[in-house]
Amino acid sequence: MTKLDRTYVTEAKYMLHGGDYNPDQWLNRPEILEDDIRLMKLAHTNAYSIGMFSWSSLEPEEGRYEFEWLDQVFDRIHKNGGKIALATPSGARPAWLSQKYPEVLRVDKNRMKQLHGGRHNHCFTSEVYREKTQKMNRILAERYGNHPALFMWHVSNEYGGECHCDHCQNAFRNWLKEQYNHDLNSLNEAWWGPFWSHSFNDWSQIESPSPIGENAVHGLNLDWRRFVTDQTISFYENEIVPLREITPNIPVTTNFMADTDDLIPFQGLDYSKFAKHVDVLTWDAYPAWHNDWEETADLAMKVGFIDDLYRSLKQQPFLLLESTPSAVNWHKVNKAKRPGMHLLSSMQMVAHGSDSVMYFQWRKSRGSSEKFHGAIVDHDNSTENRVFKEVAKVGQSLEKLTEVTGTNRPAKVGILYDWDNNWALNDAQGYGLETKRYPQTLQQHYRTFWEKDIPVDVITKEQDFSSYQLIVAPMLYLASKETLARLKTFVANGGTLVMTYISGIVNEHDLTYTSGWPQDLQDIFGMQPVETDTLYPKDKNYVTYQGKHYLLKDYATVLELNTANSEGIYKEDFYANTPAITSHSYEKGKTYYIGARLDAEFHFDFYSRLIEDLSLQPAFSVKHGKGVSVQTRQDKEHDYAFIMNFTEERQTITLPSKGTDLLSGDELEGELILNKYEVRVIKAPRNS
């Protein structure tokens, strides 16, 4: 992308710093609420998310409302110079609502109705719950819509999960009717109904996937996941009707997530669809820093990948709506951030496009499940503990980065990520059941660009391809004819495309392509894959590329060349001395096919060569060693280079030109030392 105009995601044209504030937990301690205002200044915070779990405090009984406490919070924060993202409270309903209207309770995939409790256990289809949430949101919008402290609507909280009740079954059947033009024969064809005699002759026979029923019809599973996304969006759209009507100029968002065990994009919902319905994309980031299974820089790379995906969904800056200033309380081991990591990890979010650093939570709860979750204000209420001081330092740093707010991150490289593809690939009863790892594979292809500071957009199949020089599409197992045609056009018009093993196998209904590989792919790659070998963990093979041997694991594809060139060959097994890596020129563009899962050394060498061939350059070319990342935001006149040391050692770097460190105010040039976890933010004139 080349657009450099500023895109302010809220009316606040400065970096937002603060977090989830739950004053309703402290209504019997007014001195605490008074002291919060004092502490907010000392922590250098300026924005707060309020109300996401406050329904029982706002409406303790049906029809009886208590807003005076929230009125006071709004006025105090406004007087203190702060801004409020007011949340709608649908994520955790009060007990009276569940008791009086039991239809709002979810039914799980085993068809068991859930009891009241927890959060996000409501039915997205329930008309009663839709009515109640919209009514509450209308009251909130009417009461606070014109308050000067309101800057954004925070709708619900971390949507997720699914319901299998009768209402949802009927909604699913109606959704299917629309998808298949009320033609049951088309659905049976798309789901390959004759297999195991699973054809339907009436819509009423269709049930959502269940372990006590049908769960091996892949077309059904895929459509159910799509329905869950659409029904969740429908519920969200119902929530925001009064917000759009009463406050049309206040942006609306809901917070996206990541799957934190291996730090990959959240798999429960297709965010590429959901992103179209929010004004500002926000997400909650909780990496397990200092874990014992990966290097700090490896985890930082994964964070960067998700940042670049969520930023790219709307091609504008995003907001970090939740993070922790120290530890969380739900990792297997809840380790505190080491000194310096909080500033570094916060600056990484800004470097990749965030205009905020927000936390869960402002003040630690006294009881229940989150009483030991990290917070700005600990149980000791002290400003002298390490965490509070580090939060204040982040706030002071963000105050120095006001001019970065709204700036862009242009990229000429796109890595294609697709939720449908991941769902279908995980469902496939083939290959290696534990080694497919689609999101993790994309992160490994992303790694070299991150290490070499080449800006990347992590894009989806619906986005415009034309502005990129290079698109990397690993393991694109599910690809519709439309997607394949768009990739073909991209190459024909001069683009470079990289694809890998297990690509182009099934269409959008998860039906395999017949008569070999799709013709569009054969045309642009000049070859076709004819067999995929799946390896056991102890199996070993190698690929020879550019005179070097690289370790092969998990997958190897036997290729039949037509007009393609062989760039690398297999070393062993029955496909020894046959092509493993190919290249092919097609019209104005070029393609590369990587037939095997190869090691990190191969990815580095292969993509380094491609970066050189395509003359891809960092926006701000800093000389540095492994584990240092440089990510650059730009406006029309300046580069803002975030130089970050994600190692436990001192690192030597060399700047390409003179610049000003916005954090320290120092004028810098030439060789510098970065200490462990240190970050510099260099402002320099743009070269082009």
Side-chain angles (χ1 to χ4, degrees):
M1 302 293 290
T2 57
K3 183 179 178 182
L4 292 170
D5 294 334
R6 289 178 185 270
T7 306
Y8 293 104
V9 296
T10 72
E11 66 174 11
K13 297 181 180 180
Y14 51 82
M15 292 288 170
L16 301 173
H17 186 228
D20 285 14
Y21 181 36
N22 301 294
D24 46 311
Q25 295 181 19
W26 303 93
L27 296 181
N28 64 344
R29 296 286 302 276
E31 73 279 7
I32 291 289
L33 299 181
E34 288 282 356
D35 202 37
D36 282 336
I37 301 302
R38 176 184 69 88
L39 295 173
M40 287 172 180
K41 280 287 190 184
L42 295 176
H44 292 263
T45 55
N46 57 32
Y48 314 91
S49 297
I50 299 176
M52 65 283 296
F53 303 126
S54 299
W55 199 330
S56 62
S57 297
L58 295 171
E59 190 180 9
E61 297 177 7
E62 186 173 19
R64 180 168 70 85
Y65 300 101
E66 295 183 359
F67 290 104
E68 291 76 13
W69 66 269
L70 188 53
D71 294 344
Q72 293 176 6
V73 169
F74 258 84
D75 292 343
R76 283 172 174 163
I77 287 178
H78 175 58
K79 186 177 180 180
N80 207 38
K83 292 290 187 179
I84 291 174
L86 183 57
T88 65
S90 67
R93 67 191 170 280
W96 62 258
L97 202 158
S98 300
Q99 183 181 50
K100 186 171 182 179
Y101 306 101
E103 76 160 62
V104 306
L105 297 168
R106 280 186 185 172
V107 173
D108 69 16
K109 59 187 177 182
N110 291 299
R111 305 309 192 254
M112 181 176 289
K113 197 174 191 68
Q114 304 299 289
L115 298 175
H116 174 81
R119 56 180 184 149
H120 285 297
N121 62 351
H122 51 267
C123 171
F124 286 129
T125 305
S126 166
E127 289 299 325
V128 170
Y129 202 55
R130 288 183 175 223
E131 176 188 338
K132 290 296 183 183
T133 54
Q134 193 178 100
K135 181 178 180 180
M136 171 58 76
N137 296 354
R138 181 170 296 278
I139 294 171
L140 290 171
E142 289 173 344
R143 192 174 188 97
Y144 301 105
N146 290 321
H147 198 288
L150 180 68
F151 80 96
M152 187 170 67
W153 288 107
H154 178 324
V155 180
S156 196
N157 184 72
E158 297 182 338
Y159 283 112
E162 56 193 50
C163 177
H164 298 258
C165 72
D166 290 343
H167 296 296
C168 289
Q169 301 296 341
N170 288 331
F172 181 43
R173 293 171 192 131
N174 289 332
W175 182 90
L176 290 170
K177 289 176 184 178
E178 292 299 316
Q179 297 299 309
Y180 293 97
N181 298 313
H182 294 259
D183 184 353
L184 198 53
N185 289 329
S186 295
L187 179 143
N188 284 324
E189 172 68 20
W191 290 2
W192 209 242
F195 181 79
W196 286 359
S197 194
H198 283 335
S199 297
F200 301 100
N201 60 26
D202 192 274
W203 295 96
S204 63
Q205 297 163 359
I206 300 172
E207 292 270 358
S208 59
S210 171
I212 63 171
E214 183 52 69
N215 61 9
V217 174
H218 294 165
L220 164 63
N221 295 347
L222 186 56
D223 276 342
W224 170 251
R225 292 184 178 99
R226 290 166 172 161
F227 163 77
V228 169
T229 291
D230 287 352
Q231 197 70 349
T232 305
I233 293 171
S234 172
F235 182 86
Y236 161 88
E237 285 288 340
N238 182 78
E239 278 213 62
I240 69 174
V241 167
L243 311 183
R244 294 291 196 206
E245 175 189 330
I246 298 168
T247 59
N249 297 319
I250 301 295
V252 176
T253 192
T254 188
N255 41 341
F256 289 1
M257 298 179 281
D259 286 348
T260 57
D261 286 346
D262 205 10
L263 204 67
I264 59 174
F266 180 62
Q267 300 303 300
L269 298 170
D270 184 345
Y271 283 160
S272 69
K273 291 183 178 179
F274 213 143
K276 299 172 185 176
H277 298 265
V278 299
D279 299 320
V280 182
L281 198 141
T282 64
W283 81 283
D284 301 345
Y286 293 104
W289 296 111
H290 321 296
N291 64 61
D292 63 359
W293 61 86
E294 63 190 335
E295 298 293 331
T296 301
D298 292 336
L299 181 54
M301 176 273 295
K302 296 176 182 178
V303 176
F305 177 89
I306 301 176
D307 279 341
D308 288 344
L309 170 61
Y310 290 168
R311 174 183 48 77
S312 300
L313 286 176
K314 293 193 76 68
Q315 293 292 338
Q316 66 182 32
F318 61 93
L319 297 179
L320 172 63
L321 208 55
E322 287 186 25
S323 62
T324 179
S326 182
V328 297
N329 70 330
W330 39 266
H331 285 153
K332 292 179 181 178
V333 175
N334 296 294
K335 192 166 187 174
K337 288 181 178 176
R338 273 30 206 167
M341 177 50 73
H342 180 49
L343 177 62
L344 174 62
S345 60
S346 297
M347 290 298 104
Q348 183 189 21
M349 305 303 292
V350 177
H352 282 267
S354 179
D355 281 352
S356 74
V357 176
M358 306 278 278
Y359 312 108
F360 182 85
Q361 52 193 326
W362 164 256
R363 178 184 288 277
K364 279 188 179 179
S365 302
R366 284 197 67 197
S368 203
S369 64
E370 291 176 329
K371 64 180 177 287
F372 297 125
H373 192 293
I376 301 171
V377 181
D378 210 328
H379 296 135
D380 61 7
N381 205 53
S382 173
T383 62
E384 296 305 310
N385 63 56
R386 179 177 69 88
V387 172
F388 190 94
K389 289 180 177 180
E390 293 208 359
V391 167
K393 184 176 181 180
V394 168
Q396 292 170 319
S397 299
L398 292 172
E399 290 166 1
K400 299 172 182 178
L401 300 182
T402 296
E403 64 186 284
V404 179
T405 310
T407 56
N408 230 325
R409 276 178 50 83
K412 295 180 180 180
V413 178
I415 295 183
L416 184 57
Y417 179 84
D418 183 44
W419 273 269
D420 276 354
N421 180 65
N422 191 48
W423 292 334
L425 186 54
N426 283 342
D427 215 21
Q429 292 166 275
Y431 307 110
L433 297 184
E434 295 181 354
T435 58
K436 285 176 277 195
R437 296 174 61 82
Y438 168 67
Q440 295 89 339
T441 299
L442 265 66
Q443 288 173 336
Q444 294 309 310
H445 284 260
Y446 169 88
R447 176 190 295 273
T448 301
F449 300 100
W450 185 82
E451 290 180 343
K452 287 182 166 287
D453 311 323
I454 304 296
V456 171
D457 284 349
V458 182
I459 59 175
T460 62
K461 59 182 180 292
E462 297 86 3
Q463 290 177 260
D464 181 14
F465 297 162
S466 63
S467 60
Y468 300 101
Q469 280 184 259
L470 170 65
I471 290 178
V472 182
M475 295 185 76
L476 194 61
Y477 167 79
L478 180 149
S480 67
K481 289 184 178 179
E482 178 185 2
T483 298
L484 297 179
R486 294 185 67 231
L487 290 172
K488 184 177 184 179
T489 299
F490 168 75
V491 176
N493 289 337
T496 299
L497 173 66
V498 177
M499 194 170 272
T500 74
Y501 53 93
I502 314 182
S503 290
I505 308 299
V506 301
N507 68 8
E508 67 273 21
H509 299 298
D510 207 355
L511 293 177
T512 59
Y513 285 106
T514 58
S515 303
W517 217 28
Q519 190 60 51
D520 280 344
L521 293 181
Q522 292 191 45
D523 290 345
I524 61 176
F525 284 95
M527 63 90 196
Q528 67 172 321
V530 294
E531 183 177 3
T532 298
D533 189 19
T534 304
L535 279 62
Y536 282 102
K538 291 184 178 180
D539 290 339
K540 286 186 178 181
N541 200 343
Y542 298 88
V543 166
T544 301
Y545 170 76
Q546 297 288 301
K548 291 177 65 175
H549 298 320
Y550 299 93
L551 180 65
L552 180 161
K553 62 180 181 179
D554 299 336
Y555 301 107
T557 305
V558 181
L559 307 177
E560 181 180 285
L561 270 57
N562 182 11
T563 54
N565 299 313
S566 176
E567 299 283 350
I569 60 171
Y570 293 110
K571 196 169 186 298
E572 298 176 2
D573 223 310
F574 68 90
Y575 36 86
N577 300 315
T578 67
I581 302 164
T582 67
S583 66
H584 186 246
S585 296
Y586 177 77
E587 295 192 13
K588 297 179 182 178
K590 193 168 186 178
T591 60
Y592 294 87
Y593 188 89
I594 303 171
R597 178 171 286 176
L598 297 166
D599 59 16
E601 184 179 5
F602 169 79
H603 287 147
F604 185 84
D605 290 347
F606 174 80
Y607 285 114
S608 294
R609 181 186 176 199
L610 203 51
I611 287 167
E612 183 177 351
D613 289 347
L614 296 175
S615 300
L616 299 171
Q617 298 289 331
F620 191 75
S621 188
V622 177
K623 184 179 179 181
H624 61 79
K626 191 174 178 62
V628 173
S629 174
V630 182
Q631 304 294 326
T632 306
R633 295 175 67 165
Q634 297 177 310
D635 60 23
K636 291 181 177 179
E637 297 179 353
H638 298 99
D639 291 324
Y640 300 95
F642 292 71
I643 309 172
M644 300 166 284
N645 181 11
F646 288 103
T647 76
E648 285 66 35
E649 308 293 336
R650 297 176 71 189
Q651 298 283 341
T652 301
I653 65 169
T654 305
L655 301 181
S657 59
K658 182 182 294 186
T660 303
D661 184 350
L662 293 180
L663 299 183
S664 67
D666 296 336
E667 292 291 326
L668 301 174
E669 63 179 322
E671 189 173 283
L672 301 173
I673 299 296
L674 283 183
N675 291 318
K676 170 183 176 180
Y677 301 154
E678 188 175 6
V679 57
R680 299 274 195 166
V681 182
I682 305 298
K683 175 185 177 181
R686 290 194 66 213
N687 292 325
S688 58

